[in-house]
Amino acid sequence: MKAVRFHEYGDPAVLRYEDVDQPVPAAGQVRVRVAATSFNSVDGNIRGGFMQGPIPVRLPHTPGLDVAGTVDALGEGVAGFAVGDPVVGFLPMDKPGAAAEYVLAPAEILAAAPSSVPLAEAAALPVVALTAYQALFDHGNLQAGQRVLVNGAGGAVGGYAVQLAKQAGAYVIATASPRSADAVKATGVDEVVDHTTTNVADAVTDPVDLVLNLAPVAPEQLAALVTLVRPGGVVVNTTVWMPAPSDEDRGVRGIDLFVRSDAGQLAKLVAQVDRGELRVDVADRVPLADLAALHARAADGAVHGKVIVLAPTA
């Protein structure tokens, strides 16, 4: 089969489009015929060798944490899936990924794919939607009627975060640049703050219950977000190289989010997609053979929104 792998850590040029052996599922595993994977920023960090501590991978390594595809073969003991079933999943970070024609997945991380969107586009869902869900509900304990600030709502996680928060009955304030403002407004946000012309701390005049920071802001800007949170509220931060600030005197907690695979939560998100409550947005589609070029664009800051990577078709 065809796959993209890197044999050593480095810049995007280390990614090779090459022939590799088709994997054979072991007990508890499913082999998935990949329709698409997607690009996540952590893919570049793993490839660059910056995540060897928390995410140790064996070289050569195939990237691609998201998978959307069809069940191709079942390992011993797998129940609940049949060959031909369309599935989605968030693959283990330290195992071979889905930038290939086939990938092995633990059966317990897979969920049925949404039926209302093309299968390949479902690859835009797992990692970023789970990040938004876990930030809002697992860590933020979001309740109806609360006020949420999504800082950096123009990205893929932000789009899902705004939609999920609105579905939960929250009042949502989002920061966005002029480039992404229209897309953010289309998610149903209550207020949009242009962070390129306005100080966010000045624009948010009433306290919020939860701040979700998705933006690589300066430390002093991140610290300023704490002042916007009511006593007892939460700051959830996804830029984990910069710890989430807190305010113990006011009981404001700071939480650094490390997203985890969760098939049950993913199934809930799929159901929301199929009910029309959650929109899957795909900014671009590139063939697997062009994955190195996509990594290079991302390294230059030229990737905006969610990009899916299409596996070769037979």
Side-chain angles (χ1 to χ4, degrees):
M1 69 173 186
K2 290 292 187 183
V4 172
R5 302 192 298 178
F6 55 90
H7 294 247
E8 61 278 332
Y9 297 112
D11 65 22
V14 301
L15 292 167
R16 306 181 192 174
Y17 183 60
E18 57 191 10
D19 292 307
V20 303
D21 292 336
Q22 190 179 102
V24 178
Q29 291 184 323
V30 171
R31 185 170 67 205
V32 178
R33 174 66 168 94
V34 178
T37 184
S38 82
F39 177 80
N40 292 287
S41 58
V42 71
D43 293 329
N45 292 328
I46 294 172
R47 184 214 68 237
F50 307 119
M51 304 293 287
Q52 294 181 56
I55 310 174
V57 300
R58 178 180 296 179
L59 301 180
H61 178 70
T62 303
L65 300 174
D66 289 305
V67 64
T70 53
V71 173
D72 178 73
L74 303 174
E76 182 181 353
V78 173
F81 294 101
V83 171
D85 284 351
V87 293
V88 291
F90 173 5
L91 296 167
M93 288 187 170
D94 59 347
K95 296 294 190 288
E101 291 185 87
Y102 296 88
V103 68
L104 298 180
E108 65 267 17
I109 66 98
L110 295 173
S115 59
S116 57
V117 299
L119 181 58
E121 298 198 359
L125 186 69
V127 171
V128 287
L130 284 170
T131 301
Y133 185 95
Q134 291 168 18
L136 293 172
F137 303 111
D138 289 359
H139 299 293
N141 193 29
L142 181 65
Q143 305 293 320
Q146 290 187 326
R147 290 169 54 85
V148 180
L149 170 62
V150 180
N151 192 46
V157 175
Y160 286 116
V162 172
Q163 292 183 77
L164 289 168
K166 288 300 299 178
Q167 282 292 328
Y171 184 92
V172 183
I173 307 164
T175 72
S177 68
R179 187 195 71 246
S180 58
D182 287 342
V184 170
K185 290 174 183 176
T187 62
V189 68
D190 295 288
E191 296 180 39
V192 177
V193 176
D194 180 356
H195 64 82
T196 67
T197 60
T198 307
N199 185 302
V200 178
D202 292 336
V204 180
T205 54
D206 294 321
V208 299
D209 299 276
L210 168 63
V211 167
L212 172 53
N213 181 60
L214 307 170
V217 296
E220 61 271 17
Q221 293 174 299
L222 183 58
L225 297 177
V226 179
T227 67
L228 306 178
V229 182
R230 65 160 179 81
V234 187
V235 176
V236 180
N237 178 45
T238 63
T239 56
V240 294
W241 60 88
M242 188 166 51
S246 60
D247 184 342
E248 294 183 5
D249 291 340
R250 299 191 305 118
V252 177
R253 294 176 296 132
I255 297 172
D256 294 307
L257 171 66
F258 295 87
V259 65
R260 59 184 175 82
S261 185
D262 188 310
Q265 291 179 350
L266 185 54
K268 291 180 182 179
L269 293 163
V270 166
Q272 287 187 268
V273 171
D274 283 340
R275 289 197 300 266
E277 298 169 358
L278 196 61
R279 190 176 70 246
V280 176
D281 288 321
V282 175
D284 198 5
R285 301 155 183 82
V286 302
L288 180 61
D290 292 348
L291 183 59
L294 174 59
H295 274 238
R297 284 169 48 204
D300 290 338
V303 171
H304 307 293
K306 197 63 175 169
V307 180
I308 61 172
V309 180
L310 303 172
T313 56

